[in-house]
Amino acid sequence: MTRPITAVNDFVVKFANVNGSGSASANGLFVKAILRMGVPVGARNIFPSNIQGLPTWYEIRVSGQGWLGRRGGVDLMVAMNPQTWDRDVAEIEPGGYLFYDSTKPMPSSKFRDDVNVVGLPLTALCNAAYAEPSKRKILKNIIYLGALTFLLGIEREVVEALLAEEYAAKPALIPANIEALQIGFDHARDHLKPLGLKLRRTDKVGDRIFVDGNTAAGLGAVYGGATVCAWYPITPSTSLAEAFTAYCRKLRHDPETGEARYAIVQAEDEIASIGMVTGAGWNGARAFTCTSGPGVSLMQEFIGLSYFAEIPGVIFDVQRGGPSTGMPTRTQQSDILSAAYASHGDTKHVLLLPEGPNECFEFGALAFDLADRLQTMIFVMLDLDMGMNEWLIEPFRWDEERVLDRGKIMTAEMLEAGADFGRYKDVDGDGIPWRTLPATHPSKGSYFTRGTSRDPYARYSEEGAVYVDNMERLLRKFETAKSLVPPPIVRRAARKTSYGVIYYGSTSPAMDEALAGLEADGVAVDALRIRAFPFEGEIFEFIAAHDLVFVVEQNRDAQLRTLLINEGGVDPARLVKVLNYDGSPITARFIQTELAKGMGVPKTRAGEMVR
Amino acid sequence: MTYIAKPQFHHPSLKHNALGFTRRDYEGKVSTLCAGCGHDSISAAIVQACFEIDLEPHRLAKLSGIGCSSKTPDYFLGASHGFNTVHGRMPSVLTGANLANRSLIYLGVSGDGDSASIGLGQFAHAMRRGVNMTYIVENNGVYGLTKGQFSATADKGSKSKKGVVNSDSGIDMVGLALQLGATFVARSFSGDKDQLVPLIKAALTHKGAAFIDVLSPCIAFNNHKGSTKSFDWVREHNEAVNRLDVLMARMAVTASYEPGSLTEVTQHDGSVLLLRKVAEDYDPTDHAGAISYLQHAHAAGEIVTGLLYVDPEAEELHDALGTVKQPLNALSDEELVPPVAALAKINAGLR
Ligand SMILES: Cc1ncc(C[n+]2csc(CCOP(=O)(O)OP(=O)(O)O)c2C)c(N)n1
Ligand code: SF4
Ligand SMILES: [Mg+2]
């Protein structure tokens, strides 16, 4: 028998459940309880589909050190789904633990002899206590939560307090839940031994909050002054529109009349969504849609129109894998190129690349200022991992003094004072023209909006020179964008090195851990996190300053690397691809191993860690 | 101004409306369409209608898709902002614009290809939502701009200029608009200005989704024998069910009429629609009756025109959304950005 794994505040628990069995709430309580004990947690849902009855997993990384990326491997499997039993059991680390419902005897061939089997007669306990099927279904989850509370040393009072909070609105349900918790706890105490995996109270959580990126981005849109949201449901972006709706209901009604200071329309498809955003942006409202790759594909024509006609708008693209039935519930960073160069004609677009919920909030608000300032479509590129999973992050902050930047809008007063209004005229040398909103002035400032074929005064023209002139101005505007978008963040290694690594988006938590691991091994590598496209000079200086730069991405085709090569004329040989694109979030182990390999470091701890 | 207006000869005898504007103030640039194109007559009717209802030109926003018809917003209301969007998607852009500022008047101009072929979905959904707008389809049964291919409103059996017979059923936009919940539905003919101008006036003053299907022959590609969208064919088969006069709110109803011959419909803004019956048994406030009448007439090969349906009590999208009266694009930072204290509370709820 392999030695049982022992660890305090540092292990991975995975729940294998059946979708629709009510497990999500019990699993959520499990995580919250650990957080309340001051122990950081990274938690991820893995759900092949939203359909009831299909398998769903919840993977929890407990890390007293605060590493919140996926670690890989499972130390304790809570196997509650017979359909996935074999693969779930196979996933457990040697010496790990298998927690299961032992009501029905199972043949010994179904177990592994290098894992510790912890059986609880869950169904029997539940059926003995409850007669009603609905109660049995829900409370079964609380019973296993009770057992785990004992087995891992979770403070029971903490779980009880959470249950009371959870059902604060329906207090009648509290006693039954507390009782179910006790059934599980008592049975485990009387019949089982605590596991080698232990939780111990610390103070590593602080005032951090636990929230998903879609919620954060929806809230960011509220703070960013968005008033029009047009969207079409698609996983994994739907909860962003839902969060915006929920926060608007709370925060955006006229206190006197109760009327809404926002308009949300569920459109008939993504083309209509982006059309509405375009119309609202043209008319001076801050408008957005949220979608995923398939939606961005459908929106292409309008994105081009926004580029050429210079209409503000925001697209939150919560990236997932593949089209159609592909991998819609898996995470990827695979829309980078299709967003950056969306549409026909010569176009390129501003992308913001948040690293997690904090920046989803921050960039979610900033995007609207940028859209108005640059008069163009701004993409905020989330992905399923940060969008739909709750992450432990610093609390949201907002500067009370901050004002919304509405960009260059020519007013009736300016027109009255004799301003020379040319809708597509570069008066300030930054490539950004002034615009008027419809109905600004009875006789001045109106213009006819079209895609191309017009001169700086918006007069129809098909002359080649006029067209080229306008296209050059659009490039100047894109240059201006470089100074407005969030700059990259550089982290220098402890000593001088000729190796660099570039990464972005939800790779951050895994990268933090990988960099710490490399440093602990004495391997030096400078890191740069890209936060936006267009790429500003510092990014290319970073590349130039290193002999070899790894570009870590979660897609197959190294899309950001392609963008770097294309936009910066970088020698491809200097940019090494490090790619994870199987649909599950990238891990520190993977990054550390790949980088070590690439640097020819003979043997790092990372190498040993990878199983 | 960024448009070139036509030379302004203000003939002293030019009539002024209540705002002091002449008809010329409602015009736009010189049309580039084929001489004699039905679409130009519709532009002229729009100019006339806006002049007559004393509309401040800059308070109207004009939007269109792509096509000869969709080019026309450049040729009227030069003081209004206009938006030539993309093919078949004007309805969504207009919807968004309307969400941003409910205080303007929205005029959508489209073609039968733009609205019945590529844009059928968006047309349908804008009607369903009750977007407060006037939506005019300049219906010629062909794609004028791309040189005469059949559009989805071409009748089954009608012949193209090259002699090809259309074998697909034609889409009846009026029937669709009625089914989909448009609250003002009319049909007219570009060659009948007396009928068309009051219909546009009524549509512009209607609260809710107002749709006008205007048969507008394409003289370049669809005005031959065998076409059911030619001037001759439409004239011969045109059956008006009523004649309309629009009285703006401040005008009193003075003329006296024979009892029974006239229906008065008071709209949301106080304007009065005076409808003189032509077809004895046609009631434009009876939704189901209108649908059935139109289907029977269609089967008999008639092109029914006039005000076909109106619901003067109609609601619009903003009523359903419960939005503030103020335009959303005019809300201040204070009205949009929640206080920092609210964020502290949200943070607390996420621990
Ligand atoms: C996406 C797209 N597809 C095709 C076209 C080409 N196109 C331009 S106008 C038009 C048809 C217009 O027909 P209709 O709306 O009936 O207008 P008309 O010219 O007859 O007034 C087409 C197919 C386009 N502009 N965009
Ligand atoms: S091609 Fe037909 S629709 Fe187009 S302008 Fe000429 S007549 Fe009018
Ligand atoms: Mg046509």
Side-chain angles (χ1 to χ4, degrees), chain B:
Chain B
M1 272 179 284
T2 57
Y3 66 94
I4 316 173
K6 287 179 197 168
Q8 302 271 320
F9 306 110
H10 272 221
H11 197 276
S13 70
L14 268 185
K15 264 185 28 201
H16 292 258
N17 65 10
L19 299 174
F21 289 123
T22 71
R23 237 186 123 271
R24 298 305 300 267
D25 295 313
Y26 293 88
E27 291 178 349
K29 284 202 214 131
V30 180
S31 168
T32 59
L33 302 186
C34 303
C37 172
H39 300 349
D40 278 335
S41 313
I42 302 173
S43 297
I46 292 169
V47 167
Q48 186 67 27
C50 292
F51 169 74
E52 289 182 15
I53 61 169
D54 303 324
L55 183 125
E56 292 179 90
H58 73 293
R59 304 291 306 168
L60 181 142
K62 45 186 190 177
L63 296 100
S64 60
I66 301 290
C68 295
S69 35
S70 293
K71 284 167 76 171
T72 65
D74 207 14
Y75 314 143
F76 57 79
L77 295 173
S80 309
H81 273 64
F83 195 169
N84 211 167
T85 67
V86 288
H87 195 21
R89 321 294 178 196
M90 173 274 284
S92 63
V93 181
L94 189 152
T95 302
N98 184 304
L99 292 174
N101 183 355
R102 63 186 297 181
S103 75
L104 304 187
I105 290 167
Y106 292 90
L107 173 61
V109 175
S110 178
D112 43 310
D114 200 57
S115 279
S117 300
I118 189 170
L120 187 63
Q122 293 217 340
F123 166 79
H125 291 281
M127 293 300 152
R128 280 181 61 225
R129 288 192 184 100
V131 179
N132 191 8
M133 63 179 171
T134 296
Y135 192 125
I136 296 177
V137 167
E138 309 190 343
N139 187 350
N140 55 16
V142 287
Y143 296 172
L145 195 65
T146 53
K147 299 198 176 300
Q149 302 83 355
F150 282 125
S151 83
T153 66
D155 289 310
K156 192 169 187 160
S158 77
K159 225 188 245 168
S160 79
K161 201 172 172 181
K162 290 180 179 155
V164 181
V165 175
N166 175 36
S167 56
D168 300 349
S169 299
I171 290 176
D172 175 22
M173 305 285 300
V174 155
L176 266 184
L178 277 169
Q179 298 271 356
L180 292 164
T183 48
F184 178 110
V185 179
R187 181 152 46 211
S188 190
F189 172 39
S190 65
D192 187 350
K193 202 173 174 190
D194 291 344
Q195 183 190 47
L196 180 56
V197 171
L199 286 174
I200 297 173
K201 286 160 68 176
L204 287 171
T205 49
H206 176 75
K207 177 189 163 186
F211 173 65
I212 314 178
D213 177 24
V214 187
L215 292 155
S216 175
C218 168
I219 54 134
F221 300 109
N222 205 11
N223 198 30
H224 48 271
K225 219 172 152 60
S227 154
T228 57
K229 298 281 193 288
S230 68
F231 275 108
D232 288 347
W233 182 279
V234 176
R235 249 186 229 113
E236 278 156 30
H237 297 80
N238 185 346
E239 296 290 338
V241 287
N242 47 33
R243 299 305 289 192
L244 171 70
D245 277 313
V246 180
L247 300 177
M248 298 310 286
R250 60 197 166 282
M251 304 177 190
V253 183
T254 48
S256 58
Y257 301 96
E258 271 175 53
S261 68
L262 206 72
T263 316
E264 257 186 57
V265 178
T266 306
Q267 297 211 98
H268 177 82
D269 68 339
S271 59
V272 177
L273 309 182
L274 287 177
L275 280 159
R276 202 184 320 267
K277 272 193 178 166
V278 176
E280 221 16 79
D281 48 347
Y282 197 83
D283 174 6
T285 60
D286 172 5
H287 192 256
I291 292 176
S292 145
Y293 185 101
L294 288 164
Q295 285 192 339
H296 284 110
H298 183 74
E302 290 172 9
I303 301 170
V304 177
T305 60
L307 176 53
L308 304 174
Y309 176 68
V310 62
D311 172 6
E313 309 287 319
E315 297 228 309
E316 56 120 340
L317 180 57
H318 281 280
D319 296 321
L321 294 174
T323 34
V324 284
K325 302 288 172 293
Q326 247 177 307
L328 294 179
N329 70 357
L331 295 175
S332 65
D333 282 23
E334 294 68 49
E335 288 163 311
L336 295 176
V337 185
V340 169
L343 198 56
K345 232 165 126 187
I346 290 168
N347 280 327
L350 295 169
R351 287 190 181 111

Side-chain angles (χ1 to χ4, degrees), chain A residues 208-283:
Chain A
R208 278 189 279 180
I209 58 176
F210 195 57
V211 66
D212 62 271
N214 284 351
T215 299
L219 184 62
V222 175
Y223 274 84
T227 52
V228 174
C229 163
W231 66 291
Y232 189 75
I234 181 169
T235 306
S237 75
T238 301
S239 56
L240 201 161
E242 288 168 347
F244 180 72
T245 308
Y247 283 124
C248 277
R249 286 208 182 114
K250 275 197 204 124
L251 303 168
R252 276 281 195 80
H253 281 261
D254 184 310
E256 260 138 57
T257 62
E259 290 163 339
R261 289 173 176 154
Y262 60 92
I264 300 168
V265 174
Q266 187 190 312
E268 60 269 30
D269 57 29
E270 286 87 348
I271 303 178
S273 306
I274 194 70
M276 289 179 201
V277 169
T278 304
W282 175 75
N283 213 358

